[in-house]
Amino acid sequence: MAFKDMRDFLNHLEDNGRLVRIREEVALEYELAAYLRKASDMGDKGPALLFERVKGHDIPVAGGLYANRQLMLEALETSEQEANARYLNAIDNLQEHKLLDRGPCNEVIRLGDEADLTALPFPTYCELDGGPFITLGIAISKDPEDGGKNASIYRHQVLGKRRLGVLSPPPHHLGVHYRKAEALGKPLELAIALGVAPSALVATQWEAGYGVDELTLAGAFLGEPLEVVKCRTVDLEVPATAEIIIEGKMPPGVRAHEGPFGEYTGYYTRASDKPVMEVSAITHRRDPILLAGMSGVPTTDNHVLKMIPMEASCYAMLKRKFAGIKRVHFHGAGGVGLMCIVAMKQYARNEARQVLATLLGSQGSKLAVVVDEDIDIHDMDKVMWAICTRAQAQKDVMILPNMTLWQLDPSAPDDGSYSVMGIDATRPFGKDFEQVALVPDVDKVPDF
């Protein structure tokens, strides 16, 4: 059975020794983030955390639930070998939502002045951040002209009791929705769902076409329609089992200073004027748990959440063109998508170079590496070994200047152009190459 809500997942992690309860009181400014940072830096051995006592609040905070790849695989109830197929099969079996009259997310309803953001334990993560941020909230909105839906994760800075700064410039779909509403002179309705089931959170990382409701993918993961309820003050529907819902509107022509924030590249983005959300309601469970997630220097929740969705989509795209594609991996060191590694079997001369050109031209990668199918692309030692022993720089490195990328790359020139690089680390096609020194029957040795 798929996890129905975040609590199901927390219980599963605790039952399997993957959740650590922090019973000491922690401060929201930096201290809570320090715990998350330490857990993230432990790699696949890092646990998820539940902070039972947060200074100044009586609401506990969960964090690091998706901080490493193993936690992500558990959230999807899959394995490394089956992850791509699981994701792509879900895309082929979307499920429309089931509307309920009420759900756990609106057991407590706070309207108007009672909807106080500062009553919720939002952390301040990095030392130069502009203040507390919502980092793993699902922002739900509709196109003001045709009603097409969007559900995705954006950052929101708490600017006051009933005000949030919103970072979602076009071509992000929320940004397009807001620009359309602003052109019409109307506010854009917005809801932010916090602490949802893993299926809903992962679904938001699907690069769906404009107007496609990403949360229909959550139903596919669940194997049944995602249950939703109507908001109280805006005409939107939100996951019924969410821990907390924030409702409001983004008024046209209104901007406020937002940032800086330690983003997924590992560097700060500068403060600037951004659109705002004026909060009209906060609803939540009777005993809510707030979900926090790290961003910043890789690898964190922000990076891991995007890996499998991006890998599955990229695998499907490449497989349509190249029969020998075996595996695709977006390594955390590249932030979100800047570094892609592909394992393949070549069926024609220079096919690996064609894969590199495809990745660099359409995928948005700054560094792409193609290796043979015998290389474990999740083991950077093996990838670097392939580069060092199967590639020659003068013929196997491809550099393309004057490219355009959307990533927040701090090394980008002021004119917005980028140079990107591909490395063909495969054996020369059709030629003899030295054999790998292998030890037989390693798989027969018992674990120790």
Side-chain angles (χ1 to χ4, degrees):
M1 294 291 291
F3 303 115
K4 296 290 187 181
D5 57 22
M6 187 179 77
R7 297 181 183 215
D8 272 355
F9 187 43
L10 286 170
N11 290 335
H12 165 81
L13 294 176
E14 186 161 39
D15 290 344
N16 289 273
R18 298 305 308 273
L19 179 73
V20 172
R21 291 177 176 267
I22 308 300
R23 293 184 167 88
E24 300 81 12
E25 186 178 70
V26 296
L28 283 173
E29 189 174 41
Y30 314 135
E31 187 178 11
L32 188 148
Y35 279 84
L36 296 178
R37 180 75 263 176
K38 184 170 184 176
S40 294
D41 290 344
M42 293 171 66
D44 281 349
K45 294 181 179 179
L49 303 176
L50 181 61
F51 300 90
E52 296 183 343
R53 298 175 58 213
V54 178
K55 189 174 182 179
H57 295 270
D58 57 4
I59 297 174
V61 175
L65 270 61
Y66 309 91
N68 61 63
R69 197 171 180 93
Q70 186 54 45
L71 290 170
M72 180 69 168
L73 291 170
E74 292 191 39
L76 283 174
E77 299 173 282
T78 189
S79 65
E80 195 65 73
Q81 295 73 26
E82 299 297 326
N84 277 357
R86 172 106 164 90
Y87 206 91
L88 294 173
N89 181 68
I91 290 174
D92 290 336
N93 293 278
L94 303 179
Q95 293 257 10
E96 290 298 327
H97 314 320
K98 179 181 179 180
L99 182 62
L100 304 180
D101 291 334
R102 60 185 305 167
C105 71
N106 52 27
E107 289 174 340
V108 177
I109 300 171
R110 304 187 186 280
L111 304 174
D113 291 337
E114 291 186 355
D116 184 356
L117 293 166
T118 63
L120 300 174
F122 296 117
T124 300
Y125 292 91
C126 296
E127 60 183 341
L128 299 182
D129 282 358
F133 277 83
I134 300 172
T135 54
L136 286 183
I138 298 179
I140 298 169
S141 61
K142 292 193 299 188
D143 185 298
E145 295 177 333
D146 62 23
K149 298 178 181 179
N150 178 65
S152 195
I153 296 174
Y154 307 100
R155 81 185 197 209
H156 307 273
Q157 183 179 350
V158 179
L159 300 178
K161 289 185 176 182
R162 296 180 58 195
R163 210 173 199 218
L164 290 170
V166 181
L167 176 67
S168 178
H172 293 291
H173 295 176
L174 172 57
V176 174
H177 289 179
Y178 178 66
R179 288 286 178 87
K180 283 189 171 187
E182 195 170 42
L184 295 170
K186 298 179 179 179
L188 179 72
E189 295 185 328
L190 183 64
I192 302 171
L194 287 157
V196 297
S199 55
L201 204 65
V202 173
T204 65
Q205 304 309 294
W206 174 31
E207 294 185 2
Y210 185 80
V212 176
D213 184 356
E214 287 85 353
L215 290 181
T216 56
L217 183 59
F221 284 125
L222 289 168
E224 60 186 32
L226 176 71
E227 294 179 342
V228 298
V229 295
K230 285 189 173 296
C231 289
R232 295 304 170 124
T233 60
V234 293
D235 184 22
L236 296 168
E237 297 168 357
V238 292
T241 62
E243 296 288 324
I244 301 167
I245 302 294
I246 301 171
E247 304 177 13
K249 297 179 180 180
M250 298 172 63
V254 177
R255 301 291 187 273
H257 212 54
E258 188 268 0
F261 181 70
E263 267 290 356
Y264 61 80
T265 55
Y267 301 89
Y268 289 100
T269 53
R270 297 177 182 177
S272 63
D273 289 341
K274 309 284 197 319
V276 301
M277 175 185 182
E278 295 179 350
V279 174
S280 53
I282 296 175
T283 71
H284 57 78
R285 290 173 179 252
R286 290 190 183 90
D287 54 346
I289 302 171
L290 188 136
L291 177 62
M294 279 294 299
S295 190
V297 176
T299 301
T300 70
D301 301 76
N302 196 2
H303 309 97
V304 176
L305 270 169
K306 298 178 186 297
M307 282 182 184
I308 291 175
M310 291 178 65
E311 289 165 2
S313 297
C314 185
Y315 172 85
M317 181 271 292
L318 290 175
K319 193 70 174 179
R320 286 193 292 268
K321 301 178 181 180
F322 307 101
I325 298 297
K326 303 299 182 184
R327 295 176 302 280
V328 176
H329 177 43
F330 285 93
H331 196 274
V336 178
L338 286 177
M339 182 178 183
C340 184
I341 306 166
V342 174
M344 71 176 298
K345 177 180 175 60
Q346 292 193 85
Y347 289 104
R349 191 179 306 278
N350 295 325
E351 196 171 22
R353 294 178 66 84
Q354 289 182 286
V355 171
L356 289 173
T358 301
L359 287 169
L360 297 174
S362 64
Q363 188 59 43
S365 297
K366 184 180 181 181
L367 171 62
V369 181
V370 178
V371 297
D372 295 299
E373 60 182 314
D374 66 317
I375 300 297
D376 180 357
I377 59 177
H378 298 285
D379 185 339
M380 282 305 296
D381 283 347
K382 299 299 188 294
V383 173
M384 293 305 299
W385 173 62
I387 292 172
C388 290
T389 62
R390 301 182 186 183
Q392 288 292 315
Q394 78 273 16
K395 67 181 183 67
D396 293 320
V397 176
M398 177 189 300
I399 297 177
L400 304 179
N402 302 319
M403 302 291 283
T404 299
L405 297 177
W406 57 267
Q407 303 279 17
L408 297 173
D409 182 356
S411 72
D414 291 338
D415 64 3
S417 65
Y418 293 73
S419 57
V420 296
M421 179 171 67
I423 302 175
D424 177 1
T426 61
R427 301 179 183 92
F429 180 80
K431 295 182 180 180
D432 291 335
F433 198 80
E434 299 295 341
Q435 287 187 310
V436 175
L438 299 175
V439 177
D441 298 330
V442 175
D443 59 332
K444 296 180 181 179
V445 176
D447 294 335
F448 53 83

